[in-house]
């Protein structure tokens, strides 16, 4: 089984990818990890990717697709894989389709963990971190006992720049503008599996596995 996993920041994509990996015995291929690993191994494509990244440039879609093809040729991908972080837009999806087609492969399902923008803002913008021990807190789901102080060490809590409401809104705007056309692209191709990401973690997991194991409908 070959899968693509889509979901905005805060949708719980990483948690669900790990569960699918374990339950279905699939390799989890996260594009960010893939790029770092390829660089450390010093492969030809890895060094090429590194040359772009050192200049502060985006790694070309064809290079990332090439790295993915290298990765899925490894033995642990024989039973299938989950792609996480690529493609991010329709152009990348076309590059991926062409690259896999050259190996007589197709993507079986594209899982889209759907979460409303208001819920994503709530999840992402309420995070606070302890300055001393880096313990995480959240205004909604895990508040400290004393406002502004860490329960563990008493350190002062602070909010990272990328966790403010304004920054999170901008991140989501960019993500949604790129991803919604991609969601429709896969929907039109009959590959999309849409899951309600506002359920509990267990609820999302159960729905995903029910569909992927063929006990539900898409």
């Amino acid at each position: 089984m070959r899968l693509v996993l889509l979901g905005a920041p805060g949708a719980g994509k990483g948690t669900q990818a790990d569960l699918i990996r374990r339950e279905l015995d699939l390799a989890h291929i996260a594009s960010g990890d893939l790029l770092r690993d390829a660089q450390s191994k010093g492969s030809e494509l890895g060094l090429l990717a590194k040359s772009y990244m050192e200049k502060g440039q985006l790694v070309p879609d064809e290079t990332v697709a090439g790295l993915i093809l290298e990765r899925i040729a490894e033995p642990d991908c024989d039973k299938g894989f989950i792609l996480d972080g690529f493609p991010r837009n329709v152009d990348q999806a076309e590059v991926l389709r062409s690259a896999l087609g050259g190996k007589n492969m197709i993507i079986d399902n594209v899982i889209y963990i759907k979460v409303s923008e208001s819920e994503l803002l709530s999840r992402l913008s309420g995070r606070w971190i302890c300055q001393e021990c880096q313990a995480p807190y959240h205004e909604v789901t895990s508040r400290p006992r004393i406002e502004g102080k860490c329960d563990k060490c008493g350190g002062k809590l602070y909010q990272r720049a990328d966790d403010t409401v304004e920054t999170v809104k901008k991140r989501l705007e960019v993500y949604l503008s790129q991803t919604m056309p991609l969601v429709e692209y896969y929907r039109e191709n009959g590959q999309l599996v849409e899951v309600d990401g506002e359920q509990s973690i267990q609820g999302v997991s159960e729905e995903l596995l029910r569909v992927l194991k063929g006990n539900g409908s898409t």
Side-chain angles (χ1 to χ4, degrees):
M1 183 180 291
R2 306 179 191 97
L3 308 173
V4 167
L5 188 59
L6 301 178
K13 196 155 48 87
T15 299
Q16 298 304 328
D18 188 58
L19 178 129
I20 296 168
R21 175 189 64 79
R22 288 184 281 109
E23 287 290 324
L24 302 181
D25 196 18
L26 304 177
H28 178 203
I29 304 174
S31 59
D33 294 341
L34 185 65
L35 286 167
R36 287 187 288 272
D37 186 55
Q39 290 177 60
S40 66
K41 288 180 178 177
S43 69
E44 183 178 346
L45 282 172
L47 292 174
L48 179 59
K50 184 178 181 180
S51 70
Y52 286 101
M53 296 172 75
E54 286 179 340
K55 297 173 186 174
Q57 299 174 349
L58 292 175
V59 179
D61 298 342
E62 291 79 4
T63 303
V64 180
L67 288 169
I68 288 171
L69 288 181
E70 280 188 351
R71 176 67 181 86
I72 64 179
E74 296 179 14
D76 67 325
C77 291
D78 287 347
K79 293 182 180 179
F81 54 81
I82 312 163
L83 289 181
D84 178 1
F86 190 89
R88 291 184 181 274
N89 55 51
V90 173
D91 287 344
Q92 292 182 354
E94 290 285 1
V95 169
L96 177 64
R97 183 188 60 78
S98 178
L100 291 178
K103 298 288 184 181
N104 294 317
M105 294 181 181
I106 62 169
I107 295 297
D108 297 303
N109 287 300
V110 177
I111 303 163
Y112 174 44
I113 302 176
K114 184 178 181 180
V115 179
S116 67
E117 187 172 354
S118 60
E119 176 65 17
L120 291 170
L121 278 171
S122 174
R123 292 182 185 183
L124 292 170
S125 63
R127 186 168 58 175
W128 292 77
I129 307 293
C130 174
Q131 287 183 338
E132 302 298 327
C133 69
Q134 300 300 302
Y137 293 88
H138 193 278
E139 293 176 1
V140 177
T141 58
S142 56
R143 296 178 64 87
R145 288 192 295 269
I146 300 174
E147 191 72 24
K149 285 191 176 183
C150 177
D151 293 346
K152 297 180 180 179
C153 72
K156 184 178 179 180
L157 303 185
Y158 75 102
Q159 192 167 45
R160 292 173 178 167
D162 59 356
D163 289 334
T164 64
V165 173
E166 293 77 12
T167 304
V168 170
K169 278 185 177 180
K170 290 178 182 177
R171 287 169 60 198
L172 290 178
E173 284 173 4
V174 171
Y175 178 85
L176 293 172
S177 68
Q178 293 180 340
T179 303
M180 293 318 295
L182 182 62
V183 168
E184 293 307 315
Y185 169 87
Y186 281 122
R187 193 193 309 277
E188 290 172 5
N189 288 345
Q191 295 168 287
L192 193 73
V193 175
E194 190 172 298
V195 175
D196 178 7
E198 297 188 28
Q199 307 175 72
S200 65
I201 292 174
Q202 183 178 353
V204 175
S205 301
E206 289 175 353
E207 184 176 346
L208 272 174
L209 292 174
R210 183 169 62 250
V211 171
L212 292 177
K213 290 179 179 179
N215 295 324
S217 61
T218 60

